[in-house]
Amino acid sequence: EDQVTQSPEALRLQEGESSSLNCSYTVSGLRGLFWYRQDPGKGPEFLFTLYSAGEEKEKERLKATLTKKESFLHITAPKPEDSATYLCAVQAGNTGFQKLVFGTGTRLLVSP
Amino acid sequence: NAGVTQTPKFQVLKTGQSMTLQCAQDMNHNSMYWYRQDPGMGLRLIYYSASEGTTDKGEVPNGYNVSRLNKREFSLRLESAAPSQTSVYFCASSELGSSPLHFGNGTRLTVT
């Protein structure tokens, strides 16, 4: 069974304090790994897609990396506006269509 | 561009009542999805429509029906609501089956 585990469940950082969020996965052939950001009361917003081990993507203070077993979302010098829940999802290669398996997310709070 | 629009934003139902959640997208996307999000659980796929005229079951379809009215609109119907269907429901769309999802801002449903 395809599974996604995110850690930590919650993370509190001071502004400027860099850290990483983890997404561990077990899947029957990875077709893609997705990172989304979700603000309270809103729907998830797409950040990155990673397809193969060794791949990296960057956007502002965020950098996503991928290995064969996990992905990391690195946050460099975070600001309060980076506070949100970050969701990871995987698409298995053996599915005929996009059936994503989502993790439960990491709630990030960045204090000024 | 509104993106993905869901109505209503909030709804309270009594057990046994029925209702339809509406979703429309203006991005000319081919594929549309319905997810539910519950505390401590990842987003779970209820139904999806790969293209206009087709619908398929996702991970948790029991108690729901869907209609792909046209390319823009995809509705979710609860025929006889149960307390276990209390959740936040998200509609999403994507250009292709492997493309990132674009989410609406959700419908918060409470069944008493």
Side-chain angles (χ1 to χ4, degrees), chain B residues 59-78:
Chain B
E59 181 185 356
V60 289
N62 290 346
Y64 306 94
N65 285 299
V66 292
S67 295
R68 183 77 182 265
L69 304 170
N70 47 55
K71 191 171 185 179
R72 289 186 65 247
E73 298 173 288
F74 188 38
S75 63
L76 178 72
R77 183 160 178 84
L78 287 70

Side-chain angles (χ1 to χ4, degrees), chain B residues 21-35:
Chain B
L21 282 63
Q22 307 286 354
C23 175
Q25 52 94 6
D26 63 3
M27 295 172 283
N28 201 36
H29 284 169
N30 291 302
S31 306
M32 298 186 74
Y33 313 77
W34 279 104
Y35 282 88

Side-chain angles (χ1 to χ4, degrees), chain B residues 52-64:
Chain B
E52 187 178 356
T54 70
T55 60
D56 274 294
K57 295 178 180 179
E59 181 185 356
V60 289
N62 290 346
Y64 306 94

Side-chain angles (χ1 to χ4, degrees), chain A:
Chain A
E1 184 182 335
D2 301 330
Q3 281 192 323
V4 175
T5 303
Q6 292 189 246
S7 61
E9 284 188 18
L11 180 63
R12 187 166 190 154
L13 299 174
Q14 291 294 120
E15 185 172 2
E17 179 186 3
S18 301
S19 187
S20 296
L21 313 182
N22 178 263
C23 172
S24 298
Y25 63 90
T26 55
V27 66
S28 304
L30 181 70
R31 178 174 286 184
L33 185 142
F34 301 80
W35 281 99
Y36 288 85
R37 168 193 170 125
Q38 186 173 21
D39 293 300
K42 303 288 189 182
E45 177 186 347
F46 170 72
L47 292 173
F48 304 109
T49 309
L50 301 167
Y51 294 103
S52 57
E55 189 175 0
E56 298 183 352
K57 294 271 180 77
E58 284 189 69
K59 179 180 179 179
E60 296 181 358
R61 294 176 294 281
L62 301 177
K63 182 169 82 171
T65 61
L66 181 65
T67 72
K68 288 186 178 180
K69 293 183 178 181
E70 58 192 348
S71 177
F72 292 94
L73 185 65
H74 307 278
I75 303 177
T76 302
K79 298 182 178 182
E81 53 261 43
D82 295 321
S83 297
T85 295
Y86 291 85
L87 303 174
C88 171
V90 296
Q91 181 183 8
N94 62 355
T95 58
F97 192 71
Q98 184 182 108
K99 293 183 183 178
L100 297 181
V101 177
F102 279 85
T104 54
T106 294
R107 294 188 313 276
L108 174 66
L109 177 63
V110 182
S111 302

